[in-house]
Amino acid sequence: MSRKVNWHQTPAHQLPLEERLQGFAEVNLGYTIEEAIVEAQRCLQCASPACEEGCPNHNPIREFLYRVAEGDLLGAAELDWTKNALPACTGRVCAWEKQCEGFCVMSHRGDPIKIGAIERLFADIALQRLEEDPGAIDLRDPDYEPREQRVAIVGAGPAGLAAAHFLARKGYQVTIFERWALPGGVMAYGIPEFVLPQKVIDAEVRRIQAMGVEIRTGVSVGEDVTIDQLFEQGYSAVFIGIGANEPSRLGIEGEDLPGVWTAKDFLMRTKAANLRDRLAGQMPSEWLTPPEVGRRVAVIGAGNTAMDAARTARRLGAEEVVVLYRRDAASSPSRPIEVEHAQHEGVTFMYLVNPKRFIAGEDGRVAAIELVRMQLSSPDDSGRRRPVAIPGSEFILPVDTVVVAIGYQQETQIAESAGLATTPWGGLIIDEKTGATSRPGVFAGGDCVTGPNTVIHAIAAGRRAAAGIHQYLLQLAEGSGSSRGAGRGVLLNRG
Ligand SMILES: Cc1cc2nc3c(=O)[nH]c(=O)nc-3n(C[C@H](O)[C@H](O)[C@H](O)COP(=O)(O)OP(=O)(O)OC[C@H]3O[C@@H](n4cnc5c(N)ncnc54)[C@H](O)[C@@H]3O)c2cc1C
Ligand code: SF4
């Protein structure tokens, strides 16, 4: 007799609303082991799992759900780590509703399997188990062997950490060079603690270090050491995963007034202040105090960064936080769950408005924004309806602090100094199959290639590039018997 299908999702736990604004504690709390097993047992084990098609990294979801349903949580983690370098992080930050869960066939008649909450549960448990017993899970690939070749990775964001993880699984000697004081990239200095706690990133990083990966923080490649020097020091290949961390600007009057923050600085400083004991002595002391926000905060933009900034402002004591967006609610690019959390936490939204200028008060700080109302007209190149200003609709909104969260761009300095080909907007040009850049021996992936994207896309790019580097180093070793000369004109077969 066939098993009765359970169409209803097991609800996951959340921090009670009344506790959220008292600090930066994680809001989504996930499942207990028993709940995760019950939820995984709902999976139909489809012959062609649509959930895996929906995952940009094609994580082995069906099989890990099977293992969880059988109670084999470590087996589920071991399998997931063959494709996903950071499951405890993706289990917290992915846009499941648009990706795996959005594709799950269960949603045709009922609720999709809550894949993200299950992934984070088994990843957390496996990470804890590995701390107690490093041999509890075999993280090596079947063709692992200790290899002499060294690979340098620039940037310890999800792309760089993933490249390191997959190269270490093969036995390469990997060193990551990271500019910031902590590894993790935007996960560590952008995504707030209440979404992705630093201790979760730390646990994933410790696991990667335990595989033999060395991480040197506080090193800016291009300034402290160049790509050429890395090759001279004996690295056989370099992976660039430096992200897209240059905040976009509005280009309007008053943008440099005190009290007007870029979302990057606002979130970075809040994160650094939360970690002040750990970061003391590694950065200027003013960075270790949280931003003073006053009573009224306006956040410009409506993406995930804007939601993170708005929710952070509430936790920093702002009584009124308003998100200002030039399009309508339906066009908002943020995850619905983030908007829902923001609304529950008292953030309000004003749609179809655009800032024209920031106005200083008597003390020289920002005191108001001149806004203009917008309407949506015909679709632009992106297919979205273009917002246009309504003449004469200007009005003034008093504020104490403004956070500009309208996106990020790539930095071009490394590409220029290392002679790497870029797109007109500064993205590194790569071979999509291998991650190879225009310079032999140099690979790249993540936001520095695509522009701002997501953690799982960066992990997928790091994994692809690790495979490309592996093939490159095998060819290099076959061709010359050594890896010397890499980075100086060895031709790469891109077939
Ligand atoms: C506020 C915010 C919230 C977000 N929320 C989500 C979310 O909820 N879910 C999601 O999936 N995605 C989210 N994203 C997007 C996601 O974080 C990024 O797409 C992802 O981190 C990109 O990974 P990456 O490794 O390419 O780059 P990054 O994470 O940017 O990492 C690049 C690293 O390289 C380092 N670096 C840069 N230059 C140098 C240099 N010259 N030398 C040495 N190191 C260098 C940087 O310090 C950084 O650590 C968010 C982004 C932001 C800004
Ligand atoms: S699509 Fe849904 S039901 Fe099918 S294998 Fe994936 S999670 Fe299970």
Side-chain angles (χ1 to χ4, degrees), residues 179-224:
R179 184 163 66 182
W180 180 241
L182 296 173
V186 169
M187 298 190 306
Y189 57 68
I191 301 179
E193 184 76 11
F194 52 83
V195 177
L196 177 57
Q198 184 63 38
K199 67 174 188 212
V200 175
I201 305 167
D202 290 343
E204 290 275 27
V205 167
R206 278 198 301 275
R207 180 193 62 71
I208 290 171
Q209 286 172 314
M211 292 168 79
V213 172
E214 184 193 356
I215 303 182
R216 296 189 200 163
T217 53
V219 181
S220 179
V221 174
E223 290 176 51
D224 301 322

mmCIF file of all heavy atoms in Angstrom, residues 179-224:
data_model
loop_
_atom_site.group_PDB
_atom_site.id
_atom_site.type_symbol
_atom_site.label_atom_id
_atom_site.label_comp_id
_atom_site.label_asym_id
_atom_site.label_seq_id
_atom_site.Cartn_x
_atom_site.Cartn_y
_atom_site.Cartn_z
ATOM 1 N N ARG A 179 41.100 40.657 2.539
ATOM 2 C CA ARG A 179 41.352 42.050 2.929
ATOM 3 C C ARG A 179 40.764 42.403 4.297
ATOM 4 O O ARG A 179 41.359 43.107 5.082
ATOM 5 C CB ARG A 179 40.739 42.943 1.844
ATOM 6 C CG ARG A 179 40.977 44.403 2.016
ATOM 7 C CD ARG A 179 40.709 45.137 0.728
ATOM 8 N NE ARG A 179 39.307 45.093 0.350
ATOM 9 C CZ ARG A 179 38.832 45.640 -0.766
ATOM 10 N NH1 ARG A 179 39.640 46.243 -1.609
ATOM 11 N NH2 ARG A 179 37.564 45.577 -1.048
ATOM 12 N N TRP A 180 39.566 41.914 4.578
ATOM 13 C CA TRP A 180 38.850 42.240 5.815
ATOM 14 C C TRP A 180 39.452 41.437 6.968
ATOM 15 O O TRP A 180 40.223 40.502 6.753
ATOM 16 C CB TRP A 180 37.366 41.923 5.593
ATOM 17 C CG TRP A 180 36.402 42.167 6.728
ATOM 18 C CD1 TRP A 180 35.638 41.222 7.337
ATOM 19 C CD2 TRP A 180 36.056 43.410 7.339
ATOM 20 N NE1 TRP A 180 34.837 41.804 8.291
ATOM 21 C CE2 TRP A 180 35.072 43.139 8.323
ATOM 22 C CE3 TRP A 180 36.481 44.731 7.168
ATOM 23 C CZ2 TRP A 180 34.508 44.134 9.123
ATOM 24 C CZ3 TRP A 180 35.921 45.719 7.965
ATOM 25 C CH2 TRP A 180 34.949 45.421 8.923
ATOM 26 N N ALA A 181 39.070 41.817 8.197
ATOM 27 C CA ALA A 181 39.656 41.166 9.369
ATOM 28 C C ALA A 181 39.140 39.744 9.587
ATOM 29 O O ALA A 181 39.760 38.967 10.316
ATOM 30 C CB ALA A 181 39.374 42.014 10.605
ATOM 31 N N LEU A 182 37.999 39.430 8.972
ATOM 32 C CA LEU A 182 37.404 38.101 9.171
ATOM 33 C C LEU A 182 37.086 37.470 7.827
ATOM 34 O O LEU A 182 36.701 38.173 6.894
ATOM 35 C CB LEU A 182 36.073 38.220 9.932
ATOM 36 C CG LEU A 182 36.088 38.756 11.348
ATOM 37 C CD1 LEU A 182 34.658 38.942 11.822
ATOM 38 C CD2 LEU A 182 36.821 37.776 12.242
ATOM 39 N N PRO A 183 37.179 36.146 7.722
ATOM 40 C CA PRO A 183 36.716 35.497 6.496
ATOM 41 C C PRO A 183 35.187 35.476 6.434
ATOM 42 O O PRO A 183 34.526 35.592 7.461
ATOM 43 C CB PRO A 183 37.257 34.066 6.614
ATOM 44 C CG PRO A 183 37.958 33.958 7.913
ATOM 45 C CD PRO A 183 37.728 35.200 8.702
ATOM 46 N N GLY A 184 34.655 35.306 5.228
ATOM 47 C CA GLY A 184 33.194 35.200 5.071
ATOM 48 C C GLY A 184 32.649 36.138 4.007
ATOM 49 O O GLY A 184 31.538 35.964 3.535
ATOM 50 N N GLY A 185 33.419 37.174 3.643
ATOM 51 C CA GLY A 185 32.944 38.112 2.623
ATOM 52 C C GLY A 185 31.716 38.862 3.111
ATOM 53 O O GLY A 185 31.599 39.189 4.298
ATOM 54 N N VAL A 186 30.788 39.105 2.195
ATOM 55 C CA VAL A 186 29.574 39.849 2.558
ATOM 56 C C VAL A 186 28.798 39.120 3.653
ATOM 57 O O VAL A 186 28.126 39.743 4.468
ATOM 58 C CB VAL A 186 28.687 40.071 1.309
ATOM 59 C CG1 VAL A 186 27.320 40.598 1.695
ATOM 60 C CG2 VAL A 186 29.364 41.042 0.359
ATOM 61 N N MET A 187 28.923 37.806 3.695
ATOM 62 C CA MET A 187 28.228 37.065 4.759
ATOM 63 C C MET A 187 28.716 37.547 6.124
ATOM 64 O O MET A 187 27.954 37.589 7.082
ATOM 65 C CB MET A 187 28.492 35.560 4.639
ATOM 66 C CG MET A 187 27.984 34.933 3.358
ATOM 67 S SD MET A 187 28.077 33.131 3.415
ATOM 68 C CE MET A 187 29.781 32.848 3.842
ATOM 69 N N ALA A 188 30.016 37.913 6.205
ATOM 70 C CA ALA A 188 30.587 38.307 7.499
ATOM 71 C C ALA A 188 30.399 39.787 7.795
ATOM 72 O O ALA A 188 30.235 40.161 8.946
ATOM 73 C CB ALA A 188 32.073 37.960 7.537
ATOM 74 N N TYR A 189 30.442 40.644 6.754
ATOM 75 C CA TYR A 189 30.365 42.074 7.081
ATOM 76 C C TYR A 189 29.133 42.768 6.496
ATOM 77 O O TYR A 189 28.964 43.965 6.687
ATOM 78 C CB TYR A 189 31.644 42.816 6.684
ATOM 79 C CG TYR A 189 32.059 42.740 5.234
ATOM 80 C CD1 TYR A 189 31.313 43.353 4.243
ATOM 81 C CD2 TYR A 189 33.218 42.068 4.859
ATOM 82 C CE1 TYR A 189 31.697 43.300 2.922
ATOM 83 C CE2 TYR A 189 33.617 42.002 3.541
ATOM 84 C CZ TYR A 189 32.850 42.624 2.574
ATOM 85 O OH TYR A 189 33.231 42.561 1.268
ATOM 86 N N GLY A 190 28.275 42.032 5.803
ATOM 87 C CA GLY A 190 27.086 42.653 5.223
ATOM 88 C C GLY A 190 25.810 42.067 5.799
ATOM 89 O O GLY A 190 24.999 42.766 6.404
ATOM 90 N N ILE A 191 25.633 40.772 5.643
ATOM 91 C CA ILE A 191 24.389 40.129 6.093
ATOM 92 C C ILE A 191 24.358 40.176 7.618
ATOM 93 O O ILE A 191 25.294 39.733 8.277
ATOM 94 C CB ILE A 191 24.307 38.677 5.571
ATOM 95 C CG1 ILE A 191 24.361 38.674 4.033
ATOM 96 C CG2 ILE A 191 23.042 38.002 6.065
ATOM 97 C CD1 ILE A 191 24.321 37.300 3.380
ATOM 98 N N PRO A 192 23.296 40.739 8.206
ATOM 99 C CA PRO A 192 23.308 40.950 9.659
ATOM 100 C C PRO A 192 23.279 39.657 10.468
ATOM 101 O O PRO A 192 22.841 38.609 9.998
ATOM 102 C CB PRO A 192 22.024 41.754 9.907
ATOM 103 C CG PRO A 192 21.592 42.263 8.589
ATOM 104 C CD PRO A 192 22.099 41.299 7.568
ATOM 105 N N GLU A 193 23.738 39.826 11.694
ATOM 106 C CA GLU A 193 23.800 38.735 12.668
ATOM 107 C C GLU A 193 22.434 38.055 12.854
ATOM 108 O O GLU A 193 22.357 36.846 13.029
ATOM 109 C CB GLU A 193 24.283 39.355 13.995
ATOM 110 C CG GLU A 193 24.515 38.422 15.137
ATOM 111 C CD GLU A 193 25.803 37.611 15.007
ATOM 112 O OE1 GLU A 193 26.635 37.906 14.135
ATOM 113 O OE2 GLU A 193 25.940 36.662 15.798
ATOM 114 N N PHE A 194 21.335 38.842 12.786
ATOM 115 C CA PHE A 194 20.021 38.238 13.054
ATOM 116 C C PHE A 194 19.535 37.377 11.880
ATOM 117 O O PHE A 194 18.538 36.677 11.984
ATOM 118 C CB PHE A 194 18.970 39.296 13.442
ATOM 119 C CG PHE A 194 18.842 40.457 12.481
ATOM 120 C CD1 PHE A 194 18.065 40.363 11.341
ATOM 121 C CD2 PHE A 194 19.493 41.656 12.735
ATOM 122 C CE1 PHE A 194 17.944 41.426 10.463
ATOM 123 C CE2 PHE A 194 19.386 42.734 11.863
ATOM 124 C CZ PHE A 194 18.608 42.619 10.721
ATOM 125 N N VAL A 195 20.241 37.454 10.734
ATOM 126 C CA VAL A 195 19.937 36.570 9.595
ATOM 127 C C VAL A 195 20.945 35.420 9.553
ATOM 128 O O VAL A 195 20.571 34.257 9.394
ATOM 129 C CB VAL A 195 19.984 37.353 8.261
ATOM 130 C CG1 VAL A 195 19.751 36.412 7.081
ATOM 131 C CG2 VAL A 195 18.948 38.477 8.254
ATOM 132 N N LEU A 196 22.224 35.755 9.688
ATOM 133 C CA LEU A 196 23.290 34.746 9.608
ATOM 134 C C LEU A 196 24.314 35.035 10.706
ATOM 135 O O LEU A 196 25.196 35.883 10.531
ATOM 136 C CB LEU A 196 23.951 34.812 8.218
ATOM 137 C CG LEU A 196 25.140 33.885 7.971
ATOM 138 C CD1 LEU A 196 24.769 32.429 8.195
ATOM 139 C CD2 LEU A 196 25.672 34.073 6.550
ATOM 140 N N PRO A 197 24.223 34.336 11.835
ATOM 141 C CA PRO A 197 25.152 34.619 12.940
ATOM 142 C C PRO A 197 26.605 34.335 12.554
ATOM 143 O O PRO A 197 26.887 33.368 11.845
ATOM 144 C CB PRO A 197 24.694 33.657 14.042
ATOM 145 C CG PRO A 197 23.295 33.288 13.688
ATOM 146 C CD PRO A 197 23.218 33.326 12.187
ATOM 147 N N GLN A 198 27.501 35.172 13.056
ATOM 148 C CA GLN A 198 28.924 35.003 12.757
ATOM 149 C C GLN A 198 29.421 33.628 13.202
ATOM 150 O O GLN A 198 30.285 33.029 12.558
ATOM 151 C CB GLN A 198 29.727 36.117 13.451
ATOM 152 C CG GLN A 198 31.211 36.111 13.143
ATOM 153 C CD GLN A 198 31.531 36.341 11.669
ATOM 154 O OE1 GLN A 198 30.871 37.138 11.003
ATOM 155 N NE2 GLN A 198 32.521 35.629 11.146
ATOM 156 N N LYS A 199 28.858 33.094 14.283
ATOM 157 C CA LYS A 199 29.355 31.800 14.776
ATOM 158 C C LYS A 199 29.096 30.681 13.753
ATOM 159 O O LYS A 199 29.834 29.697 13.705
ATOM 160 C CB LYS A 199 28.747 31.458 16.140
ATOM 161 C CG LYS A 199 27.275 31.187 16.122
ATOM 162 C CD LYS A 199 26.783 30.723 17.481
ATOM 163 C CE LYS A 199 25.338 30.275 17.309
ATOM 164 N NZ LYS A 199 24.463 30.434 18.372
ATOM 165 N N VAL A 200 28.080 30.856 12.917
ATOM 166 C CA VAL A 200 27.803 29.847 11.882
ATOM 167 C C VAL A 200 28.876 29.933 10.790
ATOM 168 O O VAL A 200 29.413 28.916 10.337
ATOM 169 C CB VAL A 200 26.392 30.062 11.282
ATOM 170 C CG1 VAL A 200 26.141 29.096 10.134
ATOM 171 C CG2 VAL A 200 25.330 29.915 12.364
ATOM 172 N N ILE A 201 29.201 31.176 10.383
ATOM 173 C CA ILE A 201 30.265 31.357 9.379
ATOM 174 C C ILE A 201 31.579 30.820 9.952
ATOM 175 O O ILE A 201 32.327 30.103 9.280
ATOM 176 C CB ILE A 201 30.419 32.852 9.014
ATOM 177 C CG1 ILE A 201 29.083 33.427 8.545
ATOM 178 C CG2 ILE A 201 31.491 33.048 7.944
ATOM 179 C CD1 ILE A 201 29.073 34.945 8.457
ATOM 180 N N ASP A 202 31.854 31.156 11.218
ATOM 181 C CA ASP A 202 33.097 30.701 11.860
ATOM 182 C C ASP A 202 33.204 29.180 11.828
ATOM 183 O O ASP A 202 34.278 28.629 11.575
ATOM 184 C CB ASP A 202 33.147 31.157 13.325
ATOM 185 C CG ASP A 202 33.333 32.659 13.461
ATOM 186 O OD1 ASP A 202 33.736 33.304 12.475
ATOM 187 O OD2 ASP A 202 33.064 33.187 14.556
ATOM 188 N N ALA A 203 32.086 28.505 12.091
ATOM 189 C CA ALA A 203 32.124 27.035 12.136
ATOM 190 C C ALA A 203 32.445 26.471 10.753
ATOM 191 O O ALA A 203 33.245 25.537 10.619
ATOM 192 C CB ALA A 203 30.791 26.496 12.650
ATOM 193 N N GLU A 204 31.836 27.048 9.701
ATOM 194 C CA GLU A 204 32.141 26.576 8.339
ATOM 195 C C GLU A 204 33.609 26.862 8.005
ATOM 196 O O GLU A 204 34.283 26.047 7.369
ATOM 197 C CB GLU A 204 31.234 27.272 7.306
ATOM 198 C CG GLU A 204 29.768 26.855 7.349
ATOM 199 C CD GLU A 204 29.457 25.585 6.541
ATOM 200 O OE1 GLU A 204 30.366 24.745 6.369
ATOM 201 O OE2 GLU A 204 28.304 25.433 6.112
ATOM 202 N N VAL A 205 34.085 28.049 8.417
ATOM 203 C CA VAL A 205 35.476 28.421 8.113
ATOM 204 C C VAL A 205 36.447 27.490 8.847
ATOM 205 O O VAL A 205 37.432 27.017 8.267
ATOM 206 C CB VAL A 205 35.723 29.902 8.479
ATOM 207 C CG1 VAL A 205 37.210 30.228 8.486
ATOM 208 C CG2 VAL A 205 34.987 30.818 7.505
ATOM 209 N N ARG A 206 36.166 27.192 10.116
ATOM 210 C CA ARG A 206 37.052 26.274 10.871
ATOM 211 C C ARG A 206 37.115 24.907 10.192
ATOM 212 O O ARG A 206 38.160 24.275 10.123
ATOM 213 C CB ARG A 206 36.551 26.115 12.314
ATOM 214 C CG ARG A 206 36.980 27.229 13.243
ATOM 215 C CD ARG A 206 36.840 26.821 14.704
ATOM 216 N NE ARG A 206 35.484 26.456 15.068
ATOM 217 C CZ ARG A 206 34.542 27.318 15.442
ATOM 218 N NH1 ARG A 206 34.820 28.601 15.520
ATOM 219 N NH2 ARG A 206 33.328 26.901 15.750
ATOM 220 N N ARG A 207 35.957 24.477 9.666
ATOM 221 C CA ARG A 207 35.931 23.178 8.983
ATOM 222 C C ARG A 207 36.824 23.219 7.737
ATOM 223 O O ARG A 207 37.580 22.284 7.469
ATOM 224 C CB ARG A 207 34.487 22.848 8.578
ATOM 225 C CG ARG A 207 34.331 21.536 7.868
ATOM 226 C CD ARG A 207 32.970 21.406 7.233
ATOM 227 N NE ARG A 207 32.718 22.407 6.210
ATOM 228 C CZ ARG A 207 33.303 22.442 5.017
ATOM 229 N NH1 ARG A 207 34.197 21.529 4.697
ATOM 230 N NH2 ARG A 207 33.013 23.383 4.139
ATOM 231 N N ILE A 208 36.771 24.330 7.005
ATOM 232 C CA ILE A 208 37.595 24.450 5.793
ATOM 233 C C ILE A 208 39.076 24.531 6.185
ATOM 234 O O ILE A 208 39.936 23.919 5.549
ATOM 235 C CB ILE A 208 37.130 25.668 4.956
ATOM 236 C CG1 ILE A 208 35.754 25.347 4.344
ATOM 237 C CG2 ILE A 208 38.140 26.031 3.879
ATOM 238 C CD1 ILE A 208 35.064 26.513 3.673
ATOM 239 N N GLN A 209 39.367 25.245 7.266
ATOM 240 C CA GLN A 209 40.769 25.305 7.741
ATOM 241 C C GLN A 209 41.247 23.916 8.164
ATOM 242 O O GLN A 209 42.395 23.548 7.931
ATOM 243 C CB GLN A 209 40.889 26.291 8.903
ATOM 244 C CG GLN A 209 40.802 27.748 8.444
ATOM 245 C CD GLN A 209 40.722 28.726 9.598
ATOM 246 O OE1 GLN A 209 39.950 28.515 10.538
ATOM 247 N NE2 GLN A 209 41.505 29.781 9.547
ATOM 248 N N ALA A 210 40.348 23.152 8.781
ATOM 249 C CA ALA A 210 40.734 21.810 9.229
ATOM 250 C C ALA A 210 41.065 20.904 8.045
ATOM 251 O O ALA A 210 41.739 19.880 8.202
ATOM 252 C CB ALA A 210 39.610 21.197 10.069
ATOM 253 N N MET A 211 40.612 21.284 6.843
ATOM 254 C CA MET A 211 40.972 20.517 5.639
ATOM 255 C C MET A 211 42.353 20.932 5.134
ATOM 256 O O MET A 211 42.796 20.462 4.080
ATOM 257 C CB MET A 211 39.932 20.766 4.531
ATOM 258 C CG MET A 211 38.561 20.184 4.828
ATOM 259 S SD MET A 211 37.317 20.813 3.662
ATOM 260 C CE MET A 211 37.655 19.811 2.229
ATOM 261 N N GLY A 212 43.022 21.854 5.835
ATOM 262 C CA GLY A 212 44.380 22.245 5.461
ATOM 263 C C GLY A 212 44.468 23.599 4.788
ATOM 264 O O GLY A 212 45.556 24.032 4.400
ATOM 265 N N VAL A 213 43.342 24.289 4.634
ATOM 266 C CA VAL A 213 43.356 25.595 3.959
ATOM 267 C C VAL A 213 43.873 26.659 4.928
ATOM 268 O O VAL A 213 43.419 26.747 6.074
ATOM 269 C CB VAL A 213 41.934 25.966 3.473
ATOM 270 C CG1 VAL A 213 41.894 27.399 2.952
ATOM 271 C CG2 VAL A 213 41.466 24.975 2.416
ATOM 272 N N GLU A 214 44.841 27.460 4.447
ATOM 273 C CA GLU A 214 45.362 28.556 5.267
ATOM 274 C C GLU A 214 44.630 29.840 4.893
ATOM 275 O O GLU A 214 44.399 30.092 3.705
ATOM 276 C CB GLU A 214 46.863 28.722 4.989
ATOM 277 C CG GLU A 214 47.527 29.764 5.863
ATOM 278 C CD GLU A 214 48.927 30.146 5.379
ATOM 279 O OE1 GLU A 214 49.418 29.543 4.408
ATOM 280 O OE2 GLU A 214 49.496 31.064 5.976
ATOM 281 N N ILE A 215 44.251 30.636 5.893
ATOM 282 C CA ILE A 215 43.568 31.905 5.599
ATOM 283 C C ILE A 215 44.380 33.042 6.201
ATOM 284 O O ILE A 215 44.652 33.049 7.405
ATOM 285 C CB ILE A 215 42.133 31.929 6.164
ATOM 286 C CG1 ILE A 215 41.323 30.751 5.597
ATOM 287 C CG2 ILE A 215 41.449 33.257 5.827
ATOM 288 C CD1 ILE A 215 39.875 30.689 6.035
ATOM 289 N N ARG A 216 44.800 33.988 5.339
ATOM 290 C CA ARG A 216 45.534 35.166 5.829
ATOM 291 C C ARG A 216 44.620 36.374 5.696
ATOM 292 O O ARG A 216 44.341 36.814 4.573
ATOM 293 C CB ARG A 216 46.806 35.383 5.013
ATOM 294 C CG ARG A 216 47.790 34.238 5.163
ATOM 295 C CD ARG A 216 49.126 34.578 4.533
ATOM 296 N NE ARG A 216 49.868 33.358 4.266
ATOM 297 C CZ ARG A 216 50.901 33.265 3.454
ATOM 298 N NH1 ARG A 216 51.330 34.341 2.810
ATOM 299 N NH2 ARG A 216 51.525 32.115 3.268
ATOM 300 N N THR A 217 44.153 36.893 6.824
ATOM 301 C CA THR A 217 43.263 38.056 6.788
ATOM 302 C C THR A 217 44.092 39.340 6.849
ATOM 303 O O THR A 217 45.282 39.317 7.176
ATOM 304 C CB THR A 217 42.264 38.017 7.959
ATOM 305 O OG1 THR A 217 42.997 37.865 9.167
ATOM 306 C CG2 THR A 217 41.275 36.890 7.820
ATOM 307 N N GLY A 218 43.442 40.457 6.515
ATOM 308 C CA GLY A 218 44.129 41.748 6.550
ATOM 309 C C GLY A 218 45.144 41.903 5.427
ATOM 310 O O GLY A 218 46.052 42.725 5.522
ATOM 311 N N VAL A 219 45.013 41.134 4.352
ATOM 312 C CA VAL A 219 45.934 41.244 3.212
ATOM 313 C C VAL A 219 45.129 41.670 1.984
ATOM 314 O O VAL A 219 44.197 40.971 1.573
ATOM 315 C CB VAL A 219 46.618 39.888 2.900
ATOM 316 C CG1 VAL A 219 47.587 40.049 1.728
ATOM 317 C CG2 VAL A 219 47.321 39.337 4.120
ATOM 318 N N SER A 220 45.471 42.823 1.437
ATOM 319 C CA SER A 220 44.775 43.304 0.250
ATOM 320 C C SER A 220 45.631 42.999 -0.977
ATOM 321 O O SER A 220 46.706 43.574 -1.151
ATOM 322 C CB SER A 220 44.527 44.811 0.371
ATOM 323 O OG SER A 220 43.870 45.264 -0.786
ATOM 324 N N VAL A 221 45.145 42.082 -1.799
ATOM 325 C CA VAL A 221 45.898 41.727 -3.009
ATOM 326 C C VAL A 221 45.744 42.883 -4.003
ATOM 327 O O VAL A 221 44.650 43.401 -4.203
ATOM 328 C CB VAL A 221 45.397 40.392 -3.595
ATOM 329 C CG1 VAL A 221 46.075 40.101 -4.930
ATOM 330 C CG2 VAL A 221 45.657 39.267 -2.599
ATOM 331 N N GLY A 222 46.863 43.259 -4.590
ATOM 332 C CA GLY A 222 46.869 44.462 -5.439
ATOM 333 C C GLY A 222 47.600 45.580 -4.713
ATOM 334 O O GLY A 222 48.266 46.394 -5.332
ATOM 335 N N GLU A 223 47.486 45.592 -3.368
ATOM 336 C CA GLU A 223 48.210 46.594 -2.570
ATOM 337 C C GLU A 223 49.359 45.935 -1.811
ATOM 338 O O GLU A 223 50.512 46.311 -1.952
ATOM 339 C CB GLU A 223 47.266 47.255 -1.560
ATOM 340 C CG GLU A 223 46.232 48.158 -2.196
ATOM 341 C CD GLU A 223 45.264 48.695 -1.160
ATOM 342 O OE1 GLU A 223 45.710 49.230 -0.134
ATOM 343 O OE2 GLU A 223 44.045 48.549 -1.381
ATOM 344 N N ASP A 224 49.041 44.932 -0.978
ATOM 345 C CA ASP A 224 50.082 44.292 -0.153
ATOM 346 C C ASP A 224 50.889 43.268 -0.949
ATOM 347 O O ASP A 224 52.048 43.010 -0.647
ATOM 348 C CB ASP A 224 49.437 43.599 1.055
ATOM 349 C CG ASP A 224 48.664 44.581 1.915
ATOM 350 O OD1 ASP A 224 49.144 45.717 2.074
ATOM 351 O OD2 ASP A 224 47.578 44.229 2.392
#
